[in-house]
Amino acid sequence: VNEPKFKLMFLRSEHFDAKKAAQKIIKYFQFKLEMFGIANLTKSITVSDLNDGDMEYLQTGTLTKLPNRDRRGRICYTVCQKFQQYRSWQNLFR
């Protein structure tokens, strides 16, 4: 939270409106708390933090990382809903 890069990510997404960016940060941490619990709130989430249902969802091929990045250098994913299978809605969003 104290890293300038972290704050800048939210500021850019809200066109440098500090109030909107702060609200988005709060929503981000509320969602992260709901998905991963208090123990993982301040750490970067890795594959080892996922449960069996999450791993099954990843292995269905529904979510695929594209080989190239977009113009801003962001990683791009594609979703194929034909293969979409998951145990709970949390598996879809983790």
Side-chain angles (χ1 to χ4, degrees), residues 31-66:
F31 183 77
K32 191 172 179 182
L33 176 63
E34 185 178 347
M35 291 291 106
F36 297 101
I38 192 82
N40 294 318
L41 192 59
T42 59
K43 70 177 267 256
S44 294
I45 302 301
T46 63
V47 173
S48 64
D49 297 309
L50 302 178
N51 65 29
D52 291 341
D54 301 332
M55 294 304 293
E56 283 179 19
Y57 175 71
L58 287 176
Q59 293 170 354
T60 63
T62 301
L63 185 67
T64 305
K65 180 181 169 188
L66 297 178

Side-chain angles (χ1 to χ4, degrees), residues 10 21-33:
F10 289 93
Q23 290 170 341
K24 192 173 252 189
I25 289 171
I26 291 168
K27 286 181 183 179
Y28 166 79
F29 279 109
Q30 287 172 336
F31 183 77
K32 191 172 179 182
L33 176 63

